[in-house]
Amino acid sequence: MKISGIELHKITDNLWEIPKSGIMNVAGRVYADIEMLNNIIAYDEALKQVINVATLPGIVNYSLAMPDIHWGYGFPIGGVAATDIDNGGVISPGGVGYDINCGVRLATTGLQKKDIINKFDKLLNKLFSVIPTGIGSSGAIKILKPQELKILLTKGANWGIENGYGNPEDLIFTEENGCIKHVDSSFISNKAIERGLDQVGTLGSGNHFIEIDFVEEIYDDNIAKIFGLSKNQIVVLIHTGSRGLGYQICDEYLMKYVKSKMFQSYNLPDRQLACMPVKSPEGEDYINAMNCAANFAWNNRQIIMSLVKTCFKNVFNIDDKSLDFNLLYDLSHNIAKIEYHKVNGQNKKLCVHRKGATRAFGPNEELIPLKYKDIGQPVLIPGDMGRYSFIACGTTKAMEETFGSSCHGAGRVLSRNKALQKYGKDDLVGNLKKKGIIVLADNKKTIAEEISEAYKNVENVINIMHNSGITKKIAKIKPLGVIKG
Amino acid sequence: MMQKFKLLNHTADIKLEIYGTDVNDLFNSAYLAWFNIVGEIIEIKNKYEEVEISIIENNLEYLLVEYLRELNYYLTVKKIFLINPKISINKNEDFYTINCKLKGLSLKDCNIIIKEEIKAITLHNLSIKSINNKQVATIVLDV
């Protein structure tokens, strides 16, 4: 069938294919049901971007879109593309995004909903005062010197642990153990370094948040137990990335690539897809810089989590044992990784771009912590501040169909401007309070832009992934308090 | 008076259409768009520093991107909000140059509300066209 000029073939109720045509190197595949698909086409140009990504040199299998797909720049948000490194496969900075290693981490606590209600306002106010939020936020820890930041970029979350922000066990439950090793931070530009000096341990703005949630529903008791989850338990969800340092690195390499003769010879439909072969000096330089920014982001979330833990201990006056604060998992949803996957039955070394998509490795994969080896990697899927989020796990089918990838969130349906026009004058804080959710933010505008109605219902999104067998739903968590960036 | 810029629909970010009678005016309009999105000046103290931005690019579109990136750089790194641009754009053989003199207001000293963080000036849908004797730019900002 054709919707708005785009040919779509139904593979299953939850999977649609855009056949290869014109300059596409592979077909496109979109995980969505028919209602969601119609909405994706009605709201924006995301499917055109799925087609554009299919033109990347060296792309294999499919240009994939997860059900939270929406209009991005170059890649759609919710896009996954893998290129064959040994056959001219490229790396695209735009396919990683500006906020390199933007991601989510979830910590469990030994507290129940009833344990925190009396002092909940105090807790939120404490978090809001301790963790810098909002535009250009800075000063969570001392401002670093350039040389100190360059060392941090090589150490990732280890830097936080070495400086007293967390426990060594946290690294086990962080993707890549919180650090991509063997990076050279001496190549990072002065401007990028300058942008990172005062932003270590800061949340930033837009859709970044710290959420205090409780576990509302459990779908799989056995796996929930291994994840350390129980009903009504308090958990903490943190969403942020590499801040200005990451934006600067993306800017610089994008401009460098777009002007290169190699890129001009590719004749791609969007300059934001600017790319270079992974096996080229320019490709290797970007991967090195991207990995430095990824290390910054893992450390950023590590420090914020540690600051959150200290706030809990101070407000509730409890010790480590009673708080029982543990990292369940930390994962990236804006990154490109060098991974091995099967392509037409052959094991291939690929560059897997996940732009607003989460790694979702299935059971027995080498890179999964031993504790989760038998069940698959935890997958964290934040919804919106007024509804709920989900904890899932990766599957073998994800390894076969999506290069071990899943959705990363709900996905926007309303632009920030429209959300602001429509809801900017409402008493949004009051409305959320009536639903039992306290929101603190630097300005009211952010709350309007991030209102629930601006997003798809994340339950519909996760159900597509669950019913497709890409991820398995484990638990639903609901916000009690939200700190917005 | 000619409209200086218009916000177009974009789901996740900000898409702008910017208008100018000529290239200098187009860059002035781009500054105004940036200013309107980013800041609101509540109170200025009579204290500022002179700032000069000079950029060379082989393409007018990239010149616009780099100009807006520089405004952002001053704001986010140097914590200086730039106002009153005096823009001069020249074309020399294969290159475009911009020389722009501005007044820099320190965020510390002035009461300026920063309304939006522009993470990046993207190259997606980027264009500058001459339409009906007007210069029209399209640009997407990542917010």
Side-chain angles (χ1 to χ4, degrees), chain A residues 154-281:
Chain A
T154 65
K155 292 189 168 185
N158 293 283
W159 190 93
I161 307 292
E162 285 172 14
N163 285 276
Y165 298 97
N167 303 311
E169 305 89 76
D170 297 339
L171 301 174
I172 299 170
F173 300 106
T174 306
E175 194 173 314
E176 300 288 344
N177 299 124
C179 178
I180 295 178
K181 293 181 181 66
H182 311 301
V183 296
D184 184 352
S185 58
S186 65
F187 284 99
I188 305 301
S189 73
N190 290 341
K191 268 192 176 175
I193 293 293
E194 266 187 290
R195 289 183 79 166
L197 292 175
D198 63 349
Q199 294 195 333
V200 179
T202 65
L203 195 64
S205 64
N207 60 359
H208 293 163
F209 62 77
I210 300 169
E211 248 181 44
I212 311 299
D213 300 80
F214 72 97
V215 178
E216 191 189 54
E217 206 170 341
I218 285 178
Y219 305 101
D220 186 310
D221 289 329
N222 292 332
I223 296 179
K225 203 174 167 189
I226 296 166
F227 282 175
L229 297 168
S230 59
K231 220 166 168 187
N232 288 318
Q233 177 190 19
I234 296 298
V235 298
V236 180
L237 196 57
I238 298 165
H239 177 214
T240 187
S242 54
R243 313 282 287 106
L245 181 130
Y247 316 158
Q248 185 69 32
I249 286 172
C250 184
D251 264 349
E252 289 170 7
Y253 281 89
L254 202 57
M255 204 48 119
K256 204 181 279 182
Y257 281 17
V258 85
K259 290 174 182 170
S260 73
K261 284 199 173 118
M262 175 67 103
F263 173 69
Q264 283 159 17
S265 74
Y266 287 150
N267 195 24
L268 295 175
D270 185 344
R271 277 180 283 190
Q272 193 72 23
L273 291 173
C275 53
M276 292 295 277
V278 174
K279 276 187 173 175
S280 67

Side-chain angles (χ1 to χ4, degrees), chain A residues 44 49 71-73 98 135 191 194-195 205 247 251 255 259 270-272 412 415-416 445 449, chain B residues 9-13 57 61-62 69-70 73 77 114-117 119-120 122-124 126 142:
Chain A
D44 57 36
Q49 294 186 319
W71 193 6
Y73 35 84
Y98 289 95
I135 298 153
K191 268 192 176 175
E194 266 187 290
R195 289 183 79 166
S205 64
Y247 316 158
D251 264 349
M255 204 48 119
K259 290 174 182 170
D270 185 344
R271 277 180 283 190
Q272 193 72 23
R412 284 194 83 92
S415 70
R416 290 171 201 277
K445 181 172 162 285
E449 287 174 351
Chain B
N9 186 42
H10 191 284
T11 315
D13 297 302
E57 278 292 339
E61 293 162 350
Y62 298 156
R69 283 179 179 174
E70 203 61 15
Y73 169 74
V77 178
I114 304 301
K115 299 187 292 186
E116 189 81 72
E117 180 180 43
K119 285 182 191 168
T122 80
L123 307 182
H124 176 57
L126 174 67
D142 182 16

Side-chain angles (χ1 to χ4, degrees), chain A residues 249-430:
Chain A
I249 286 172
C250 184
D251 264 349
E252 289 170 7
Y253 281 89
L254 202 57
M255 204 48 119
K256 204 181 279 182
Y257 281 17
V258 85
K259 290 174 182 170
S260 73
K261 284 199 173 118
M262 175 67 103
F263 173 69
Q264 283 159 17
S265 74
Y266 287 150
N267 195 24
L268 295 175
D270 185 344
R271 277 180 283 190
Q272 193 72 23
L273 291 173
C275 53
M276 292 295 277
V278 174
K279 276 187 173 175
S280 67
E282 296 87 348
E284 286 168 6
D285 280 355
Y286 170 70
I287 290 171
N288 175 66
M290 174 192 70
N291 288 341
C292 285
N295 287 346
F296 182 98
W298 276 309
N299 183 65
N300 204 26
R301 293 194 287 275
Q302 178 66 37
I303 287 181
I304 290 173
M305 184 182 78
S306 175
L307 295 172
V308 169
K309 183 183 172 184
T310 305
C311 289
F312 265 84
K313 282 174 72 177
N314 290 344
V315 169
F316 298 109
N317 195 24
I318 49 175
D319 58 18
D320 279 341
K321 200 178 167 197
S322 310
L323 180 57
D324 196 19
F325 196 94
N326 296 301
L327 177 59
L328 190 151
Y329 206 58
D330 176 301
L331 44 76
S332 169
H333 52 227
N334 271 5
I335 203 159
K337 291 276 194 69
I338 309 302
E339 295 171 1
Y340 289 86
H341 292 273
K342 284 230 158 77
V343 177
N344 299 326
Q346 276 188 310
N347 213 25
K348 292 269 186 186
K349 189 179 182 186
L350 305 177
C351 179
V352 183
H353 298 73
R354 297 189 179 94
K355 173 76 188 80
T358 297
R359 198 183 74 175
F361 279 5
N364 302 316
E365 290 297 322
E366 196 189 333
L367 298 172
I368 300 178
L370 195 60
K371 187 177 173 187
Y372 306 139
K373 206 69 144 186
D374 294 340
I375 52 180
Q377 176 205 308
V379 177
L380 310 171
I381 304 159
D384 59 73
M385 63 184 174
R387 284 184 277 204
Y388 24 71
S389 298
F390 285 88
I391 300 163
C393 65
T395 65
T396 304
K397 199 171 179 202
M399 303 311 294
E400 293 162 1
E401 281 192 16
T402 61
F403 308 106
S405 312
S406 176
C407 61
H408 86 308
R412 284 194 83 92
V413 287
L414 270 189
S415 70
R416 290 171 201 277
N417 200 33
K418 275 192 182 161
L420 193 60
Q421 279 172 3
K422 209 167 168 187
Y423 301 104
K425 288 185 179 148
D426 293 1
D427 178 17
L428 303 174
V429 174

